[in-house]
Amino acid sequence: MPRGTDYVRDADRTLEETYEEPMTLAAYVDRIFENPSIASHASKYLLEAIEAAGTRTVVEEGEEKERYRFFDDPHNDGEHAILGNTEVLNGFVDDLRSVAAGRAKDEKIIWFEGPTATGKSELKRCLVNGLREYSKTPDGRRYTVEWNVTTADAGERGLSYGGDATAADEQNWYESPVQAHPLSVFPEDVRADLLAQLNDELDDHVPVQVDAQLDPFSREAYDYLEERYRREGEDELFSAITDEDHLRVKNYVVDVGQGVGVLHSEDDGRPKERLVGSWMHGMLQELDSRGRKNPQAFSYDGVLSQGNGVLTIVEDAAQHADLLQKLLNVPDEQSVKLDKGIGMDVDSQLLIISNPDLEAQLNQHADRNGMDPLKALKRRLDKHRFGYLTNLSLETELIRRELTGETAVWEADSYDELADRIREPVRVTVKDRDGETRVQEFAPHAIEAAALYAVVTRLDEENLPNGLDLVDKALIYDQGYLQEGDSRREKEEFDFDDNGTDGDHGVPVTYTRDTLAELLQTDRDRHHADLPVEDIVMPRDVLNAMVEGLADAPVFSAGERSEFENRVVPVKNYVYDQQESDVIEAIMHDKRVDEETVAEYVEHVYAWETDEPLYNDRGERVEPDPLKMKLFEVEHLGRFSEAEYEGNLPRESVRNFRREKVITSLNRHAWEHRDADFAVEDVDLTAIPVIKTVLESHDWDDVERTFEDFDPRQWDDPPSGTETAAVKDDTIETLVSLFGYSEASAELTSRHVMGQVSYRWD
């Protein structure tokens, strides 16, 4: 069977699952008592769409937070995910919950503000994507009404755009152009009783509210049918009007133009046109309206008309500041006028998006005190501020997205997983001016360097705790802690200013992206011609380019350029430390202490300290061996010398070390797992900082002690047959096979590290 047939069949199945056959009004009422969420008013519907996607735990600014997955754009493979700003988004959802419940904030217009490239445009796309996909689910179905008022009486006016009334076929059904809620068809008192019963059965603190009257287009149809059947003496007038030959309830997929209205910065026209639409004068002449304006002749293409039922977004709101004052009464009165004589009820969650320039416009009369003409508007705006990312992992993820088009949102069970993603190399295919394509590599830590530098430029250095620099602060914000040798300090131990300016300004991701893209197009011939691949962008290339580009970038002031230039040094130092660590660990990879040896040491230390008998996993009693403990501490830990022991017995410094660094961690682990049977062999040895250091890290002393004839000064071109040559071969192989380096980036990185080490090698 041709493959095209399979794809067509899949498309048919998708649409079958998305759309339903139209139903009667009575069937719809039965349906909402089975599933009340499909009747939700606009703000409640948006809230339910967000909550339906669930939550996940993230760490931002050093604190664990629950994040709504909706903002990860899960239905679109994360393409328009909003990275970071979780606390701001959570505040938005909290306010939305208050609006939906009618508590205090229902007169507010939600306002997202922030500098350029902070994710505001992604918010709009994420909302549209999420609502569209949610409306395709059974719980998210959205419904409106459509009318057919054709009549067999020749010459009578029908609800059509100029055509003659014909038989009651599909071409004579006209959908409400503003997604009117099906319950708005009912008289007010009947609707109130229906909703009261529905909400009594609804186990939800946010009741369903439908206060809107029929839209003018639908009201025209309703009034026409009412007049017709009243003249005929129909006893059950409402049943006749809403008979399935005249009224159907149909579901629709929420999208821009139907349930979501978006006013873009380039949209123009008079305020009325932008808000609700305009009169079509040619249609007014065709429609027999007996001397009055017929709502059938209205375009309904304004932002409120499109967004009725769900969401109205004013994008780049500073370009539509004149319109904002026209929106003032919409949240209060939930209505807007087509003209002086025809009004339309509106149920839409209002949301505006702007750069900081809108706030400057709003504050232009602030010095007038109580006479500020914009005071009423400002009172109704509920501000949520997006800031630049201050998490290293998030900024790394964002830069990778900008360079490669990757969309999957990073999730990890531990920070170690994120750390691996942060340091990874990135390989990008680029095309030369002559049309040739080649793969260029950002070496390991290159994207990390760009991200860390960007984050450091965004952090407030006022009131920085003693002993910390901005790189330390960035690491604490990303990890939630700072590892200092054997000790780990949680964020709570540091006194950071919660009212600081973190994320208010700094290097935007667009600047980073453009700088890195330019590096990709730059010939790499300044690197070593003897390398297997020359197209390598190193971390120092990235940092140098970012600093050099500040002078010509128009987005930065002179003060910002000076400030940002001064912040690159600690970033260079940190990135070098990461490269150095990679090289040392690659050198020592086959010389690591095995976990059995470490576990045996921990058992002996625990047995040495406790008065209770200790048994290993084989049921054997562990007797502390002073010699084994001493050898481990001297040879593997490298913490003590022979002078700190009397024979094999430890002096006070060693005893304190065992109690404070090993026993305390074991006891903490035992306390955290006190509901289970505790045994030393059950301990995750990497949970003990000093042991983690033994298992996972080394230093140059370890290298020198292990390879006595090693000489870093020979690294670039070591003589064959020397220990240095053998170490280099093994190191390059390990960097490539286990650390993600290419052969070229491993060579360049190790040369850079050895060049620094040579100066201090004894």
Side-chain angles (χ1 to χ4, degrees):
M1 181 181 294
R3 285 181 293 180
T5 304
D6 294 336
Y7 289 117
V8 170
R9 186 186 302 113
D10 291 342
D12 286 338
R13 190 177 300 113
T14 298
L15 292 181
E16 286 173 8
E17 295 171 354
T18 300
Y19 295 101
E20 301 174 355
E21 288 295 320
M23 69 184 84
T24 65
L25 184 61
Y28 171 76
V29 172
D30 291 337
R31 181 77 61 85
I32 67 175
F33 276 96
E34 297 171 1
N35 186 2
S37 66
I38 64 176
S40 295
H41 52 286
S43 53
K44 179 176 170 63
Y45 182 81
L46 177 55
L47 175 66
E48 290 169 338
I50 293 171
E51 293 179 334
T55 62
R56 65 185 179 95
T57 302
V58 297
V59 174
E60 288 180 26
E61 294 189 343
E63 298 176 5
E64 280 195 357
K65 299 171 184 177
E66 285 301 307
R67 176 180 174 86
Y68 290 97
R69 289 182 178 273
F70 180 92
F71 300 113
D72 294 337
D73 197 17
H75 300 294
N76 204 39
D77 296 327
E79 181 177 355
H80 297 298
I82 307 162
L83 300 186
N85 285 293
T86 293
E87 193 168 342
V88 178
L89 294 169
N90 287 348
F92 160 56
V93 177
D94 291 342
D95 286 350
L96 189 61
R97 191 172 291 110
S98 296
V99 172
R103 294 192 300 264
K105 293 210 172 194
D106 52 346
E107 83 282 3
K108 295 285 190 179
I109 299 172
I110 293 177
W111 175 21
F112 278 93
E113 183 255 17
T116 182
T118 51
K120 301 187 302 300
S121 295
E122 299 304 299
L123 171 65
K124 178 200 69 176
R125 298 184 181 98
C126 186
L127 287 169
V128 173
N129 288 341
L131 288 168
R132 181 196 305 117
E133 298 306 318
Y134 179 63
S135 69
K136 296 177 183 178
T137 67
D139 289 339
R141 290 279 195 263
R142 209 64 178 145
Y143 296 88
T144 187
V145 293
E146 56 181 358
W147 300 87
N148 186 339
V149 295
T150 55
T151 175
D153 297 333
E156 285 206 52
R157 173 173 60 92
L159 187 65
S160 63
Y161 285 114
D164 293 333
T166 58
D169 55 23
E170 287 299 318
Q171 70 179 5
N172 293 315
W173 285 98
Y174 293 91
E175 183 179 336
S176 164
V178 294
Q179 306 79 235
H181 197 294
L183 294 185
S184 64
V185 177
F186 284 98
E188 284 189 49
D189 55 343
V190 176
R191 183 169 69 239
D193 290 343
L194 187 159
L195 289 172
Q197 184 175 348
L198 179 67
N199 288 320
D200 283 343
E201 298 180 15
L202 180 64
D203 183 21
D204 194 334
H205 64 285
V206 180
V208 176
Q209 304 171 42
V210 182
D211 301 321
Q213 303 301 312
L214 271 178
D215 65 280
F217 184 97
S218 299
R219 172 56 62 183
E220 185 77 8
Y222 187 99
D223 289 346
Y224 171 73
L225 292 168
E226 181 182 30
E227 181 182 355
R228 170 183 170 181
Y229 286 113
R230 182 175 51 78
R231 286 201 316 264
E232 294 178 0
E234 179 64 55
D235 292 333
E236 296 178 340
L237 191 56
F238 185 78
S239 295
I241 295 170
T242 59
D243 183 83
E244 61 183 338
D245 288 336
H246 297 307
L247 174 69
R248 300 192 306 201
V249 176
K250 63 170 292 186
N251 78 301
Y252 65 91
V253 173
V254 174
D255 210 335
V256 175
Q258 189 162 36
V260 176
V262 180
L263 189 64
H264 302 91
S265 59
E266 66 272 16
D267 293 338
D268 56 11
R270 296 188 302 274
K272 188 75 70 178
E273 291 178 49
R274 284 177 282 163
L275 280 177
V276 286
S278 58
W279 292 102
M280 299 180 288
H281 297 288
M283 292 302 301
L284 281 172
Q285 294 172 1
E286 287 191 34
L287 292 170
D288 176 17
S289 301
R290 295 188 289 276
R292 65 180 178 82
K293 285 185 176 178
N294 188 331
Q296 295 171 243
F298 197 77
S299 67
Y300 298 99
D301 58 1
V303 67
L304 286 174
S305 300
Q306 296 181 38
N308 188 48
V310 186
L311 178 65
T312 295
I313 302 173
V314 178
E315 189 180 37
D316 198 5
Q319 302 297 321
H320 298 286
D322 63 320
L323 197 66
L324 298 183
Q325 294 198 65
K326 304 292 184 182
L327 287 171
L328 279 182
N329 294 329
V330 174
D332 288 342
E333 301 174 7
Q334 293 189 318
S335 67
V336 68
K337 288 189 175 182
L338 309 188
D339 64 15
K340 293 180 181 178
I342 303 176
M344 180 175 74
D345 284 355
V346 176
D347 175 30
S348 185
Q349 179 57 56
L350 300 180
L351 188 152
I352 68 173
I353 300 173
S354 79
N355 290 330
D357 49 356
L358 175 61
E359 188 160 23
Q361 292 187 45
L362 295 175
N363 290 329
Q364 61 183 307
H365 304 298
D367 57 349
R368 297 188 186 182
N369 298 322
M371 303 301 292
D372 185 351
L374 298 176
K375 187 175 182 179
L377 173 59
K378 289 191 285 188
R379 182 181 66 81
R380 281 177 169 81
L381 293 176
D382 186 20
K383 182 178 176 182
H384 298 271
R385 190 177 192 285
F386 270 8
Y388 289 120
L389 298 177
T390 55
N391 272 56
L392 170 60
S393 54
L394 289 173
E395 186 69 14
T396 305
E397 180 180 358
L398 181 57
I399 294 172
R400 289 180 66 111
R401 282 168 165 261
E402 293 286 336
L403 287 175
T404 67
E406 297 174 2
T407 61
V409 174
W410 290 6
E411 295 188 46
D413 295 328
S414 68
Y415 187 78
D416 286 345
E417 292 182 36
L418 279 181
D420 290 339
R421 300 294 301 273
I422 291 169
R423 63 176 296 281
E424 281 178 349
V426 172
R427 296 176 177 93
V428 182
T429 301
V430 297
K431 182 178 289 188
D432 292 329
R433 294 184 183 90
D434 58 4
E436 296 288 331
T437 60
R438 70 178 190 277
V439 175
Q440 284 203 202
E441 175 189 346
F442 286 99
H445 303 294
I447 302 301
E448 177 184 16
L452 181 59
Y453 178 58
V455 168
V456 162
T457 66
R458 302 166 185 171
L459 296 179
D460 183 2
E461 62 181 347
E462 295 294 327
N463 302 317
L464 198 62
N466 289 334
L468 297 188
D469 61 21
L470 288 174
V471 169
D472 293 327
K473 186 175 183 179
L475 296 177
I476 294 169
Y477 273 11
D478 203 40
Q479 301 172 159
Y481 62 87
L482 186 65
Q483 191 74 38
E484 298 176 321
D486 297 338
S487 63
R488 171 167 158 166
R489 300 175 64 189
E490 304 295 332
K491 186 198 175 189
E492 292 74 19
E493 300 178 41
F494 301 99
D495 185 20
F496 290 119
D497 183 4
D498 293 333
N499 297 317
T501 59
D502 294 331
D504 285 356
H505 74 297
V507 170
V509 70
T510 47
Y511 172 78
T512 306
R513 176 201 63 203
D514 294 344
T515 301
L516 299 187
E518 189 173 335
L519 279 173
L520 286 176
Q521 297 300 330
T522 303
D523 292 336
R524 316 308 307 156
D525 57 3
R526 66 177 180 274
H527 285 321
H528 303 273
D530 59 327
L531 297 181
V533 180
E534 297 178 21
D535 297 330
I536 306 295
V537 182
M538 298 295 289
R540 59 186 180 275
D541 297 330
V542 168
L543 293 174
N544 289 338
M546 291 185 72
V547 173
E548 291 167 4
L550 293 173
D552 298 324
V555 295
F556 304 121
S557 67
E560 286 177 321
R561 293 186 187 104
S562 176
E563 178 186 354
F564 298 162
E565 286 173 1
N566 292 333
R567 295 190 178 191
V568 75
V569 173
V571 177
K572 285 185 173 181
N573 292 338
Y574 173 80
V575 172
Y576 171 76
D577 289 344
Q578 298 300 104
Q579 294 176 302
E580 182 182 50
S581 176
D582 285 354
V583 172
I584 293 175
E585 294 311 310
I587 292 173
M588 297 295 296
H589 179 72
D590 293 332
K591 306 299 180 181
R592 288 174 178 270
V593 184
D594 63 83
E595 287 204 24
E596 284 189 12
T597 302
V598 177
E600 183 182 38
Y601 167 74
V602 172
E603 287 179 345
H604 281 255
V605 170
Y606 201 74
W608 166 81
E609 173 65 9
T610 185
D611 293 330
E612 299 294 328
L614 180 68
Y615 297 89
N616 60 25
D617 56 351
R618 299 182 297 278
E620 303 165 345
R621 181 165 176 167
V622 178
E623 297 290 347
D625 187 325
L627 177 58
K628 285 186 176 180
M629 289 186 283
K630 171 186 172 181
L631 291 175
F632 188 91
E633 289 158 353
V634 172
E635 295 181 3
H636 297 310
L637 289 182
R639 296 291 297 260
F640 306 105
S641 65
E642 292 278 354
E644 290 171 278
Y645 298 83
E646 295 178 357
N648 293 329
L649 300 179
R651 294 183 183 273
E652 183 177 1
S653 58
V654 181
R655 295 198 299 271
N656 289 339
F657 166 80
R658 292 177 182 176
R659 293 189 179 104
E660 293 173 7
K661 300 299 184 182
V662 181
I663 300 298
T664 299
S665 294
L666 283 171
N667 288 339
R668 184 185 301 116
H669 188 93
W671 173 253
E672 291 171 352
H673 298 78
R674 56 192 178 277
D675 292 335
D677 293 331
F678 174 70
V680 174
E681 62 269 13
D682 296 329
V683 175
D684 176 9
L685 295 174
T686 61
I688 307 173
V690 67
I691 300 303
K692 180 181 175 72
T693 301
V694 175
L695 288 173
E696 299 182 0
S697 63
H698 299 87
D699 57 25
W700 290 113
D701 289 338
D702 297 321
V703 174
E704 189 172 18
R705 185 171 57 248
T706 305
F707 304 101
E708 295 181 357
D709 295 328
F710 173 73
D711 187 351
R713 290 163 293 198
Q714 298 176 340
W715 188 269
D716 284 6
D717 188 19
S720 60
T722 63
E723 187 171 46
T724 302
V727 169
K728 179 175 181 178
D729 288 344
D730 291 342
T731 300
I732 297 296
E733 181 181 349
T734 301
L735 286 171
V736 172
S737 61
L738 298 180
F739 287 72
Y741 284 78
S742 66
E743 188 173 348
S745 61
E747 178 71 37
L748 285 172
T749 300
S750 61
R751 286 188 185 187
H752 177 56
V753 169
M754 292 303 173
Q756 300 299 313
V757 174
S758 297
Y759 293 118
R760 60 179 189 267
W761 193 259
D762 184 2

